[in-house]
Amino acid sequence: MLWRSTSVVIFAGACCAIASSNAEDATLPTEVRFGIVVTNPKQAMLLNRESRRVFRDAMESFSRSRLKFKDKLRIMEPFVVSLDGNLSPSNILTILCKRLLPKRVNALLFVTFDDESKTDEANAVQYLFQLLSFLRLPVITWRPQNSGRIPDDMLVLQMSSTIAHQTAAVFSILKRYNYSQISVVVSKTSGEEVFLDSIRQERDRESFKPKILSVIKIDSLLPLNVKKQLKALEGTSTRVLVLYASKTAATAILESASELGLTGPDYLWIGMQKVIGDMTEKNWHPPEEYPIGMLGVDLEMTENSLVKTVGNGMRIYGYALDSLIKETNFSGNQFSPNVSCEADDPWELGRDFFKAMRRVVVPAGGSNKQKIEFLPDGTVKFAEFNITNLSYDNKKRSRVWSTVGSWNTESGLQLRDIVWPGGQAVPPRGKPERYHLNIVTLQEDPYVIMKKPGEARTRIFY
């Protein structure tokens, strides 16, 4: 049987653009190819090994759900490309124009474990999204360390949980232990303003409204500067601190905090995902500067989560194809966009396809325990985190992050035993100790001695 050829690409690092080919017979299903781009060769090797199984599982789920797109479209096996850790604009264009376009793609999944704390990296990713949105090529992203707001003019869906989700998890911890006052410390990194806005919005939204005592913005990681800015917390009632910073910045901040006595048994630090970092990195370990007992909000970043993400991306793609075909009169060949790096000719179906992806509801099953839905702003509706606790492993003779609970948008916070600051078995009070001195007096009648006056006598001294 002859097939018409289209394409689809799912991205895991940076990506692509598209091309189309003419069909030899208008009655034949159009081929669509699902591409995958990852940020390093190790991830590419993993997905080259696992992609066939993930593809087969996705196709079986489509068959069980009796999706009808197969009458017009045939999804081909994924095509995997690595950016080799290079997020430069030139490398992005090379991948886009020379490697992905010849394979014919019409949607993207961008996945990266990087925190994009460097300005040039963050700008390169934004450049990629702007380019793809200009071409009207929908993008699904999975960026667990950089899940901020999505600009309205971009055709981007965010499959990873957002900073707002992380903030909601933190507030659940604060509420559980009745921590009614906190301070917030942030470094200059991607998403810092989004995080601060999320703190304010969550506080306004919830009935539990902890008082925000201080917001410290670390503008330079020079030790003297960090210590100078943190000194503002000395002598205050601050005992619970929420930290949003890259792993490098968090190390410098917590080192200075320790020198100032802000990490003892009475102080609880709660770190966001960026503070924990990517546990799949070679020789990864918690820095020695991190205090025992601190808590963290952790979204799993492992090989298993990468494979799961690709599987979920394929399901979103398949269900969106089915929805668009059932609800419109688009022919199969319209799913094969004629887009290239040379032509200024956006895909006419791209915006409709993006809207179909955004309103898709993928049922639970396979690699996803919960159904997948998106909110009108393009962010994922369901989110789940591990709550981690930094303790000391005597066998390994090192600090380790241990999972002590979980949080999700449906059932909320679940916690087990926690090692608290100072190795204590009970949580800190969250407020400084207060001492009261009462001064009391005994009420009695006046004690007076009375005597009748005698004969007056006067003596004169010279």
Side-chain angles (χ1 to χ4, degrees), residues 177 295 387 389 402-405 415-420 425:
Y177 296 101
L295 298 177
I387 305 301
N389 179 212
S402 303
T403 299
V404 294
L415 286 177
R416 300 189 294 272
D417 293 338
I418 295 175
V419 175
W420 294 102

Side-chain angles (χ1 to χ4, degrees), residues 33 69 75 88 158 163 168 183 231 260 271 325 378 382 415 426:
R33 175 163 278 112
F69 70 82
I75 298 179
S88 68
Q158 191 162 290
I163 291 175
S183 286
K231 267 185 171 293
L260 293 171
I325 286 178
F382 177 84
L415 286 177
V426 295

Side-chain angles (χ1 to χ4, degrees), residues 1-9 21 27-35 52 55 58-59 62-63 67-78 103-106 314 317-318 321-322 325 331-336:
M1 185 182 226
L2 296 175
W3 300 91
R4 181 179 300 126
S5 180
T6 319
S7 314
V8 176
V9 167
S21 67
T27 63
L28 298 177
T30 300
E31 289 184 355
V32 292
R33 175 163 278 112
F34 188 78
R52 180 165 295 182
F55 173 73
M59 294 302 104
F62 297 153
S63 296
L67 302 190
K68 302 297 184 182
F69 70 82
K70 293 183 179 180
D71 297 337
K72 293 184 178 181
L73 302 172
R74 181 191 181 197
I75 298 179
M76 304 301 291
E77 197 168 311
K103 296 296 181 180
R104 302 169 180 173
V105 299
N106 67 2
M314 293 185 68
Y317 176 73
L321 286 176
D322 189 68
I325 286 178
S331 62
N333 64 340
Q334 288 179 280
F335 287 85
S336 178

Side-chain angles (χ1 to χ4, degrees), residues 109-180:
L109 169 66
F110 176 88
V111 179
T112 178
F113 290 170
D114 298 336
D115 71 0
E116 299 167 29
S117 57
K118 297 179 180 179
T119 302
D120 55 347
E121 292 179 351
N123 289 343
V125 172
Q126 291 302 310
Y127 164 73
L128 170 65
F129 291 165
Q130 290 169 356
L131 175 61
L132 296 173
S133 295
F134 174 77
L135 296 173
R136 295 181 192 165
L137 186 62
V139 183
I140 304 171
T141 70
W142 198 76
R143 304 158 66 205
Q145 298 202 73
N146 296 276
S147 301
R149 295 192 187 96
I150 300 172
D152 294 336
D153 60 342
M154 291 190 181
L155 305 185
V156 178
L157 295 175
Q158 191 162 290
M159 191 162 55
S160 56
S161 54
T162 64
I163 291 175
H165 289 134
Q166 294 184 45
T167 304
V170 169
F171 269 67
S172 293
I173 296 173
L174 299 177
K175 184 176 181 180
R176 168 69 64 88
Y177 296 101
N178 195 30
Y179 290 141
S180 59

Side-chain angles (χ1 to χ4, degrees), residues 124-365:
V125 172
Q126 291 302 310
Y127 164 73
L128 170 65
F129 291 165
Q130 290 169 356
L131 175 61
L132 296 173
S133 295
F134 174 77
L135 296 173
R136 295 181 192 165
L137 186 62
V139 183
I140 304 171
T141 70
W142 198 76
R143 304 158 66 205
Q145 298 202 73
N146 296 276
S147 301
R149 295 192 187 96
I150 300 172
D152 294 336
D153 60 342
M154 291 190 181
L155 305 185
V156 178
L157 295 175
Q158 191 162 290
M159 191 162 55
S160 56
S161 54
T162 64
I163 291 175
H165 289 134
Q166 294 184 45
T167 304
V170 169
F171 269 67
S172 293
I173 296 173
L174 299 177
K175 184 176 181 180
R176 168 69 64 88
Y177 296 101
N178 195 30
Y179 290 141
S180 59
Q181 53 189 33
I182 63 172
S183 286
V184 179
V185 182
V186 299
S187 70
K188 293 183 66 174
T189 186
S190 59
E192 61 183 282
E193 292 302 327
V194 175
F195 168 69
L196 292 175
D197 287 345
S198 296
I199 288 283
R200 299 184 189 102
Q201 291 170 9
E202 188 68 20
R203 184 181 179 278
D204 292 341
R205 185 179 69 85
E206 286 288 333
S207 57
F208 177 73
K209 300 181 184 297
K211 182 179 180 180
I212 301 176
L213 300 174
S214 303
V215 176
I216 307 296
K217 296 183 179 181
I218 305 297
D219 51 26
S220 169
L221 294 182
L222 293 174
L224 289 177
N225 180 72
V226 175
K227 188 175 294 187
K228 178 182 178 181
Q229 292 189 266
L230 290 179
K231 267 185 171 293
L233 299 174
E234 284 189 314
T236 69
S237 297
T238 295
R239 293 297 181 272
V240 179
L241 302 101
V242 181
L243 177 60
Y244 182 86
S246 66
K247 188 178 174 184
T248 299
T251 302
I253 291 168
L254 290 170
E255 180 178 19
S256 292
S258 177
E259 294 172 0
L260 293 171
L262 299 175
T263 60
D266 295 331
Y267 291 86
L268 174 64
W269 288 78
I270 304 175
M272 309 300 279
Q273 172 66 63
K274 277 180 172 288
V275 175
I276 297 175
D278 178 7
M279 295 187 186
T280 65
E281 291 179 349
K282 187 177 180 180
N283 299 323
W284 182 94
H285 60 82
E288 293 297 316
E289 291 80 3
Y290 284 21
I292 297 298
M294 74 178 294
L295 298 177
V297 178
D298 178 38
L299 179 62
E300 181 186 3
M301 290 190 291
T302 62
E303 291 184 350
N304 180 64
S305 66
L306 177 60
V307 173
K308 176 182 174 180
T309 296
V310 172
N312 287 340
M314 293 185 68
R315 287 176 174 82
I316 293 168
Y317 176 73
Y319 275 83
L321 286 176
D322 189 68
S323 172
L324 197 57
I325 286 178
K326 286 193 296 188
E327 296 175 8
T328 65
N329 294 320
F330 294 127
S331 62
N333 64 340
Q334 288 179 280
F335 287 85
S336 178
N338 184 21
V339 180
S340 69
C341 292
E342 290 77 24
D344 183 6
D345 187 16
W347 182 28
E348 61 179 0
L349 192 59
R351 195 170 297 277
D352 293 306
F353 191 29
F354 169 74
K355 292 178 180 178
M357 285 183 169
R358 187 173 57 189
R359 66 173 179 266
V360 76
V361 178
V362 179

